[in-house]
Amino acid sequence: MTKHLMLHGEHTTLVLAHGDGPPAVVYWGGSLPNDDAESVASALNRPLAHATIDVEAPVALVPELGSGFFGSPGIKGARPDGSGWAPRFTESRPPEVTADDIRFFCEDPIAGLELEIEIFLKNNRDVVALRQMLKNTGDTPYSLGRQSLSLPLPTHAEEILDFTGRWCDEFHPRRQVWEAGAIINENRRGRSSHDHVAVIFAGTRGFDEQHGEVWGFHLGWSGNSRLVAERVSDGRRYLQAGELLFPGEVILEAGETIESPWLYGAYSATGLSSVSQAFHQHLRGRDTHPSLDKPRPVLLNTWEAVYFDHDLDTLKKLADRAAEVGAERFVLDDGWFHRRNDDTAALGDWFVDDQKYPDGLEPLVSHVTGLGLEFGLWFEPEMVNPNSELYRAHPEWVLADADYELILGRNQLVLDLANPDAYAHIFGQIDTLLTDLDISYVKWDMNRDHVQATHNGRAGTRAQTLALYRLLAELGERHPHVEIESCSSGGGRADFEILRHTRRFWTSDCNDALERQRIQRGFSMLFPPELMGAHVGPHVSHTTRRTHDLGFRGAVAFLGHLGIEWNLLDASDDERAQVKELVTLHKKFRPLLHSGDVVRLDSADEASMTQGVVAADKSEALFAYARINTARSSVPDPVQFAQLDPERKYRVTILALPGRSGEFGRTRPQWMDDGSVVLSGKALMMMGVQPPVLDPESALLFHIVAE
Ligand code: DGJ
């Protein structure tokens, strides 16, 4: 018999039906009163149309072809004799319900499978998290091709926003009307990827940052993934997400259980920014999230400063300059290990190059820590160059099919971490360095896609992903004080699961402030600013050759976890003084920036882009207003702020950033000449404030403080 359960978040309610097959969400949206579950189910009960089968199979959390669901089944698999290919589960025992977690138990004795589904919604949060566990209770192996989770969406969720991208163009938004049929997003790159980011937002027609109902989804997984948004012909919509499994990749032996990745969903009735805030709140609620007690250290990263050209004296001087401008962490990027002089050799040989560092890294580390800075070190542990000691000794440790010619990427191959010997070797090398040296930070890079990734003769991306998590976890346990940054050719591995072991993302190799406006806006859809590496680069961007003033570069980097990616030894005295000013200002606003609610503003004016943070108690806000293009009109539109307290009075000022302001008008708005303006939150949101005429590719910061 069908029963119903209700789960409440802070602003959301989930109504679940269970008792027959796998549980199904009947309603997921804004908060409903507690006693409504049966009435909701009755009100939404669907009639049968003509020319259909005699039951309408629900869009269950794990929908079943075996029950007559014609969309994408939640489980796909079979036994060697072909049986078990269309399982149909029944509830085997009542669910276990705690304050914010429910576990459902189902079985299909005919197929020889048990299914457990866990669904998690804290009553002071708005993120629902779910996963499934599948057990083979039969006595033959079960070959699994899909293990995914599905959530239904109302028919009025008519538009989709998802993200594609490439190296230096991460989180590129793609908006489309979702009429009928399926939108499928499959990632086979062996990392969360630049181009098939596992995130989808669906919303009511025309939804934007501050308006419309929006449902957001993210699969927390760092390997291959498959997301489907489908509208079936009976009108129902659903989102399904899971790991993308290759044939033979998962063969469940008798008695074996497999856990799916977590699927995260968030809902808001007031636009995209609020969905992002729900995701951010979820992340900020984790024990491993960077705490405000230790502000995020401003860092200097050596990559664009020296690339592979490591010279101890130069690096010491660079560290001196970093300390002078107020940096608190010095990260030695690629180029420090045995014979690593360019990207053709040495990955896998994680010991210090004795030509560049005859006395090891200790002299540099102690110089850096002596200046009061933390020391960080770059690794790319999952990779090996054919030209390396490691590969010459163990060519068989490669994650590939040795019967074929190996395909290189950036001159490198993937190391098979699911091979216990390879794993132990890499673990040992990193562990030794972290033990011997005063290292507080690791930049963990991963720079090539999986191609024909084969472990023990079978598709191996899943095994590799799990081995990676194990490696990160073990190193984390041995060295709990070491913070790890997740980097993958910039932001190619940014997801909630890698975040269990890491505390920062390198958002993009593109430090061009113009590109970064959009990249960081996309990144903020899922991740809060304190996790977003944002560095000030030199005047000329290394990846686009565009030139920008420090004011524009600073305004963009200011909003994340600030860093410097610039050879300060080449910077003028003036420039270094300005960087110092920027760092000082960032430190002053860091508590607000790294705890406030991210608010992205909508604008009819395509030449501008505004985003910022509003303090949780709405007492203060900071918005970066950027001219990203030449405009159609000669005078820009007023900036209408959002998510302030309508009743409170706020004083608005411009926070002066170092460098040229970019102002280009004959006069300024009156309020700027006056130095500030005081208005109610309501006025600031309804009518806004006039910005000055600005050059394209310049920005300013609005500081808004409650009186
Ligand atoms: C790719 C990263 O994204 C860069 O920041 C840098 O660490 C290089 N790898 C080093 O090879």
Side-chain angles (χ1 to χ4, degrees):
M1 202 193 80
T2 312
K3 301 179 201 90
H4 295 97
L5 274 170
M6 258 183 160
L7 272 180
H8 299 284
E10 192 180 0
H11 307 103
T12 46
T13 293
L14 262 180
V15 180
L16 287 146
H18 72 101
D20 306 322
V25 168
V26 177
Y27 170 83
W28 175 32
S31 296
L32 296 176
N34 217 10
D35 53 1
D36 268 1
E38 300 300 335
S39 316
V40 169
S42 154
L44 295 178
N45 178 258
R46 289 164 57 88
L48 277 180
H50 283 292
T52 61
I53 57 169
D54 291 351
V55 287
E56 186 182 77
V59 184
L61 297 177
V62 180
E64 298 174 324
L65 178 62
S67 298
F69 179 73
F70 299 110
S72 178
I75 288 174
K76 201 167 106 180
R79 298 189 181 276
D81 64 358
S83 65
W85 69 278
R88 195 192 299 178
F89 290 92
T90 51
E91 196 168 270
S92 52
R93 59 187 160 104
E96 285 172 12
V97 184
T98 65
D100 38 38
D101 176 76
I102 306 185
R103 281 166 181 265
F104 295 95
F105 305 93
C106 300
E107 63 183 2
D108 177 347
I110 300 169
L113 294 171
E114 271 177 20
L115 174 69
E116 183 180 328
I117 297 172
E118 184 174 8
I119 183 159
F120 195 81
L121 177 66
K122 276 190 178 234
N123 55 18
N124 59 351
R125 301 262 191 276
D126 283 314
V127 166
V128 50
L130 38 143
R131 64 173 174 164
Q132 57 140 304
M133 277 70 71
L134 187 71
K135 182 173 181 185
N136 178 7
T137 54
D139 44 23
T140 57
Y142 189 81
S143 176
L144 187 68
R146 181 180 309 143
Q147 186 192 25
S148 60
L149 289 145
S150 305
L151 284 165
L153 285 160
T155 42
H156 57 273
E158 289 180 295
E159 287 185 15
I160 290 270
L161 168 70
D162 65 359
F163 295 84
T164 176
R166 58 167 168 81
W167 177 67
C168 281
D169 184 21
E170 287 83 350
F171 296 96
H172 197 110
R174 183 171 53 183
R175 187 73 183 250
Q176 54 192 304
V177 174
W178 177 21
E179 280 170 356
I183 296 165
I184 298 177
N185 177 352
E186 293 187 340
N187 165 31
R188 298 181 184 81
R189 293 187 184 271
R191 48 176 159 173
S192 339
S193 89
H194 294 81
D195 55 343
H196 289 287
V197 185
V199 57
I200 288 194
F201 296 92
T204 44
R205 194 158 281 232
F207 75 84
D208 58 25
E209 287 296 342
Q210 305 301 328
H211 311 96
E213 282 191 281
V214 184
W215 291 258
F217 304 88
H218 168 58
L219 186 76
W221 188 244
S222 315
N224 295 331
S225 57
R226 176 176 181 269
L227 269 64
V228 178
E230 182 173 22
R231 184 176 200 198
V232 285
S233 61
D234 59 30
R236 291 177 298 172
R237 297 180 192 272
Y238 68 95
L239 181 287
Q240 182 177 93
E243 197 179 341
L244 185 142
L245 296 172
F246 292 124
E249 186 159 15
V250 172
I251 297 182
L252 276 184
E253 298 300 335
E256 209 183 332
T257 301
I258 180 172
E259 285 174 16
S260 73
W262 286 94
L263 171 64
Y264 301 87
Y267 164 82
S268 164
T270 54
L272 257 181
S273 284
S274 301
V275 178
S276 295
Q277 288 164 14
F279 283 131
H280 298 176
Q281 205 191 20
H282 166 80
L283 292 175
R284 285 173 170 169
R286 300 163 312 135
D287 295 342
T288 52
H289 197 73
S291 141
L292 283 178
D293 299 342
K294 187 197 171 202
R296 311 294 283 137
V298 174
L299 64 80
L300 180 137
N301 182 292
T302 62
W303 179 238
E304 289 196 2
V306 298
Y307 290 103
F308 296 103
D309 191 8
H310 288 208
D311 168 75
L312 183 59
D313 284 340
T314 309
L315 289 165
K316 281 183 175 172
K317 283 189 199 127
L318 190 58
D320 294 342
R321 290 280 156 88
E324 279 161 28
V325 299
E328 297 153 310
R329 179 180 277 163
F330 181 88
V331 182
L332 188 65
D333 209 286
D334 199 353
W336 58 267
F337 47 102
H338 182 64
R339 306 294 177 264
R340 179 72 166 176
N341 298 317
D342 53 35
D343 68 8
T344 61
L347 291 175
D349 298 341
W350 301 109
F351 46 96
V352 182
D353 185 63
D354 56 5
Q355 291 177 347
K356 293 178 189 169
Y357 299 97
D359 299 315
L361 278 182
E362 174 52 28
L364 180 61
V365 176
S366 51
H367 183 81
V368 167
T369 53
L371 291 165
L373 274 69
E374 294 180 2
F375 185 84
L377 195 58
W378 180 94
F379 290 91
E380 196 177 353
E382 298 147 76
M383 297 293 157
V384 63
N385 285 116
N387 183 5
S388 65
E389 305 289 325
L390 179 63
Y391 187 78
R392 281 185 280 276
H394 291 289
E396 76 283 7
W397 284 0
V398 157
L399 186 70
D401 189 330
D403 291 339
Y404 293 87
E405 195 184 331
L406 301 180
I407 294 179
L408 293 171
R410 204 195 187 200
N411 308 302
Q412 63 200 53
L413 295 162
V414 185
L415 198 64
D416 183 2
L417 289 180
N419 174 324
D421 297 331
Y423 179 100
H425 179 82
I426 293 299
F427 177 85
Q429 287 195 325
I430 302 175
D431 183 50
T432 303
L433 283 155
L434 297 188
T435 306
D436 293 351
L437 295 167
D438 186 2
I439 296 174
S440 319
Y441 187 78
V442 164
K443 179 174 174 184
W444 188 293
D445 208 344
M446 191 283 198
N447 286 309
R448 64 152 289 179
D449 297 320
H450 289 191
V451 179
Q452 225 180 20
T454 308
H455 167 71
N456 282 350
R458 278 162 42 183
T461 291
R462 176 181 169 80
Q464 177 80 354
T465 309
L466 293 175
L468 164 70
Y469 292 151
R470 239 182 6 257
L471 183 58
L472 286 163
E474 261 193 77
L475 286 167
E477 272 160 34
R478 293 252 312 151
H479 306 279
H481 65 286
V482 175
E483 178 174 327
I484 302 180
E485 172 180 44
S486 171
C487 170
S488 181
S489 319
R493 190 156 62 193
D495 63 80
F496 282 13
E497 195 58 27
I498 201 87
L499 261 186
R500 286 187 199 269
H501 312 286
T502 57
R503 297 196 185 174
R504 184 194 210 244
F505 293 114
W506 179 223
T507 314
S508 176
D509 276 350
C510 186
N511 291 316
D512 173 327
L514 179 62
E515 301 294 327
R516 274 276 180 156
Q517 284 288 343
R518 194 198 38 66
I519 294 171
Q520 295 187 182
R521 194 170 167 107
F523 183 90
S524 75
M525 296 283 162
L526 277 185
F527 305 108
E530 62 273 21
L531 300 179
M532 177 176 76
H535 297 181
V536 179
H539 184 62
V540 181
S541 157
H542 285 203
T543 53
T544 64
R545 315 311 299 171
R546 265 201 203 103
T547 58
H548 288 126
D549 292 319
L550 189 62
F552 190 49
R553 276 138 62 207
V556 183
F558 193 81
L559 291 185
H561 178 188
L562 182 65
I564 301 156
E565 187 116 2
W566 181 0
N567 190 347
L568 291 180
L569 301 172
D570 291 344
S572 67
D573 290 351
D574 259 9
E575 284 176 318
R576 288 201 317 279
Q578 288 175 3
V579 174
K580 185 173 182 173
E581 217 184 302
L582 179 80
V583 170
T584 310
L585 206 61
H586 175 80
K587 286 180 182 170
K588 182 170 165 208
F589 285 95
R590 192 159 52 177
L592 168 67
L593 291 166
H594 295 168
S595 69
D597 292 334
V598 168
V599 177
R600 296 174 299 259
L601 300 184
D602 299 305
S603 166
D605 174 2
E606 286 177 359
S608 76
M609 203 179 252
T610 312
Q611 44 228 357
V613 291
V614 177
D617 65 0
K618 303 204 183 292
S619 59
E620 190 179 2
L622 204 58
F623 283 95
Y625 166 83
R627 294 306 282 176
I628 53 172
N629 210 336
T630 49
R632 261 168 306 170
S633 48
S634 50
V635 175
D637 298 345
V639 180
Q640 287 172 271
F641 298 100
Q643 302 203 17
L644 301 171
D645 182 342
E647 306 304 329
R648 276 163 104 166
K649 290 267 186 208
Y650 292 92
R651 181 174 297 276
V652 184
T653 51
I654 297 292
L655 196 67
L657 280 167
R660 221 171 60 81
S661 76
E663 280 185 49
F664 191 55
R666 291 172 60 204
T667 61
R668 308 171 101 187
Q670 165 91 47
W671 73 272
M672 282 182 73
D673 280 338
D674 295 344
S676 67
V677 64
V678 176
L679 281 168
S680 67
K682 192 168 186 185
L684 287 172
M685 294 189 285
M686 288 181 62
M687 60 178 221
V689 169
Q690 177 64 51
V693 179
L694 285 183
D695 281 334
E697 297 174 30
S698 57
L700 51 81
L701 294 178
F702 284 97
H703 187 207
I704 302 177
V705 184
E707 290 274 276

